[in-house]
Structure formats: C-alpha cells, structure tokens
C-alpha cells in the first residue's frame, strides 16, 4: 500500500468512526427536538456541525474522507460534541493525523530483561502481548493456567482469536461478554497506528471471515485504553478462579504490554496450585 493509499484509508476510517460516534447520541441528549422524519437514530451531520460550531460542508467533507485540514481546536469541538472519552479522542487525533504514527515493527522482540520479569512473577500468571493480543511470551504459571482448555487445536497464540473462534471460550471465560468487546475496542484503538500495515489488514480480514461476532464488534468503532479489570475463569481442574488483570507497558518496545493476573480472593489463591499440569 502506497503512502497516498494509507492517507486515504486513514481518512475513510476517520469518517466511519465519526458516523459511529454520532449515531449513538440521540438529539434529546443534546437538547434538540427528536423530530418525526429521522431515517436513522443519532445526530445528523448538520446538527453535529451546529453544536461544534463548524461549517456543515466542512464537517460533511470530514466524514466523507476528503483531504481537508483539521486543527486541534476544531477536532476538540467535534470530540466534545460527540462526547468522546480520552481513548476516543486519541483515536480521533491519530486518524486525523494530528499525532505522529508509529511505524509498524516488522519483528516484535521481547527483551531478555522482560522475560526475566515474567519468570520472577511466577506463581502469578503473566504474559507479554502486542496490540493485536498476540501472545509473544509467557511464564510457566500462565502456560499452566491456560493449558489444554481448547476443544480445537490452538494455532494462533492470540488471546482474541482464541476467544472468538474457540467454541469452549464462553464456558472458560465467564465474563466473556465484558472482556471480548473490550479487547476488540483495544485493538480498534491500536489499529489507528497501523493502517496500511499488511499484517494487520490481513489479520482483520481473516478474523472477520471466521467470526461474525468479531465483525459486529469491529463495526461499532468503539475504542478503549488499558485499564485494570477482572477476569473470571472456569478452570477444568481448579474450578472458579477470579483474577485482577494488570497491564504494564514495555518501555523498550512501544506497543507491548505485560499482562499479570493476580488472584482476587483467598479462594483463587488457594486453588492456583491446582492449575499446574500433572507430570
């Protein structure tokens, strides 16, 4: 993909993102009459332009992906009007090319020092993932916790792929309906930095072909940033396990994160050794 094509793809993605954001806000939420001739839910383009104090033609061109310049002040006004949170604003600026894009790494190498950290965290399960949730490294506790729960062979080494393509995933990940949309929103936010990267585009294409659920979640254009959260599991040997999931950025390799699972209650601490594989 040429640089011109990357810019065009970024503008198209920006337009789709803005449409998704305005579709979720009802006119009554911003003090406008709902009207009787609305064909779709959400705000109209001219209403967003009016509330943001920008020209209707300019905003229409922005959604249409035309090559126009957008200042930080104008994008701030649009973001406020569409009630964007922090990760959504960052996503907006990135797509509008107001922040520098990180060049995609051909190879993501986990530093030896980070691998030492993973080993030192045992018995806490820990792994290193990238923006697509590829699992690049794991400690023994992580491998043992997730050992042999698949009903199909695990070929991907990717958390998101495992969830949306594995029939047993909902039975294993008890808060699946919270975790999977969050992961897709995280991937969507990271995607703004990788538009035009062939590996990302192919990964999204293949995942969309395999999983209607992923396709539906991807089409929402929701974005999110890392945050502490709970991960509730039904382990084949240990039973119910509740973990607090913490993510730590790897400073040497932008985009990589260490995910650490800490038991959330005494029951999980007590059952953690029973996740170990028998020899």
């Amino acid at each position: 993909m040429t640089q011109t094509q990357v810019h065009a793809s970024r503008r198209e993605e920006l337009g789709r993102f803005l449409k998704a954001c305005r579709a979720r806000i009802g006119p009554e939420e911003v003090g406008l009459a709902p009207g009787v001739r609305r064909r779709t839910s959400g705000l109209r383009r001219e209403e967003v332009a009016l509330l943001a104090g920008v020209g209707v033609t300019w905003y229409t061109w922005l959604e249409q992906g035309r090559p126009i310049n957008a200042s930080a002040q104008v994008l701030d006004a649009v973001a406020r009007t569409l009630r964007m949170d922090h990760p959504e604003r960052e996503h907006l600026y990135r797509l509008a090319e107001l922040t520098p894009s990180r060049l995609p790494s051909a190879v993501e190498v986990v530093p030896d020092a980070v691998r030492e950290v993973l080993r030192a965290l045992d018995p806490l399960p820990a792994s290193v993932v990238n923006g697509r949730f590829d699992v690049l490294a794991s400690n023994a506790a992580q491998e043992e916790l997730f050992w042999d729960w698949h009903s199909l062979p695990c070929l991907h080494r990717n958390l998101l792929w495992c969830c949306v393509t594995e029939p047993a995933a909902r039975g294993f990940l008890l808060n699946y309906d919270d975790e999977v949309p969050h992961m897709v929103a995280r991937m969507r936010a990271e995607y703004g930095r990788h538009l035009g990267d062939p590996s990302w585009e192919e990964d999204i294409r293949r995942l969309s072909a395999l999983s209607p659920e992923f396709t539906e979640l991807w089409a929402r254009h929701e974005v999110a940033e890392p945050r502490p959260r709970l991960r509730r599991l039904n382990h084949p040997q240990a039973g119910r396990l509740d973990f607090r999931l913490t993510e730590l950025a790897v400073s040497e390799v932008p985009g990589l994160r260490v995910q650490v699972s800490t038991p959330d209650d005494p029951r999980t601490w007590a059952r953690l050794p029973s996740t170990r594989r028998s020899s």
Side-chain angles (χ1 to χ4, degrees):
M1 185 179 289
T2 67
Q3 197 62 32
T4 299
Q5 290 172 321
V6 170
H7 288 314
S9 295
R10 199 180 298 276
R11 289 194 298 269
E12 290 172 5
E13 179 74 5
L14 173 61
R16 290 190 288 264
F17 177 60
L18 289 171
K19 289 176 187 176
C21 287
R22 67 178 170 87
R24 70 190 181 189
I25 301 175
E28 63 280 357
E29 296 179 59
V30 292
L32 298 174
V36 295
R37 298 181 62 185
R38 291 181 180 270
R39 291 176 295 177
T40 58
S41 60
L43 297 176
R44 297 188 178 107
R45 285 174 176 169
E46 57 266 30
E47 291 169 338
V48 174
L50 174 66
L51 293 168
V54 301
V56 175
T57 300
W58 181 91
Y59 182 78
T60 299
W61 286 356
L62 187 66
E63 275 203 8
Q64 290 175 343
R66 298 201 189 188
I68 59 175
N69 293 322
S71 68
Q73 292 80 5
V74 170
L75 286 181
D76 273 339
V78 171
R80 285 193 299 270
T81 299
L82 295 177
R83 301 184 176 185
M84 294 183 184
D85 58 19
H86 179 69
E88 289 170 337
R89 284 180 181 238
E90 286 194 347
H91 190 58
L92 173 69
Y93 293 168
R94 192 174 299 121
L95 294 178
E97 299 183 316
L98 283 184
T99 54
S101 298
R102 179 173 67 86
L103 293 176
S105 301
V107 179
E108 291 169 315
V109 178
V110 179
D112 290 340
V114 176
R115 293 182 183 274
E116 289 291 342
V117 170
L118 291 182
R119 287 191 285 269
L121 285 169
D122 195 286
L124 296 182
S127 61
V128 177
V129 299
N130 61 12
R132 290 182 301 189
F133 293 98
D134 294 318
V135 180
L136 305 179
S138 301
N139 65 6
Q142 179 79 11
E143 296 287 344
E144 288 153 354
L145 178 64
F146 290 96
W147 174 256
D148 205 25
W149 69 272
H150 297 80
S151 64
L152 300 174
C154 182
L155 305 176
H156 312 295
R157 295 287 295 175
N158 180 288
L159 295 176
L160 183 56
W161 277 76
C162 284
C163 286
V164 300
T165 65
E166 165 55 51
R170 285 183 179 274
F172 181 74
L173 182 57
L174 298 180
N175 58 335
Y176 180 102
D177 290 331
D178 294 324
E179 277 292 281
V180 171
H182 174 76
M183 283 194 284
V184 174
R186 288 271 306 282
M187 184 175 172
R188 170 64 81 171
E190 187 70 16
Y191 175 61
R193 306 180 187 193
H194 295 273
L195 274 167
D197 183 333
S199 65
W200 273 73
E201 302 294 349
E202 178 63 12
D203 201 45
I204 293 166
R205 185 195 67 77
R206 291 174 59 219
L207 199 48
S208 298
L210 286 170
S211 172
E213 178 185 18
F214 172 82
T215 302
E216 189 273 326
L217 290 170
W218 190 254
R220 294 181 186 177
H221 286 264
E222 294 175 348
V223 293
E225 59 187 2
R227 55 177 172 79
R229 59 194 187 278
L230 287 178
R231 183 169 283 173
R232 306 184 187 281
L233 307 179
N234 180 28
H235 192 272
Q237 283 77 43
R240 171 70 178 266
L241 301 171
D242 293 342
F243 292 97
R244 295 190 310 277
L245 189 66
T246 304
E247 297 193 41
L248 310 170
V250 177
S251 58
E252 298 96 320
V253 187
L256 297 193
R257 291 185 173 274
V258 177
Q259 291 191 334
V260 185
S261 297
T262 305
D264 190 51
D265 51 44
R267 182 191 70 248
T268 300
W269 273 112
R271 293 181 178 180
L272 194 56
S274 61
T275 65
R276 298 282 179 174
R277 275 176 272 174
S278 58
S279 55

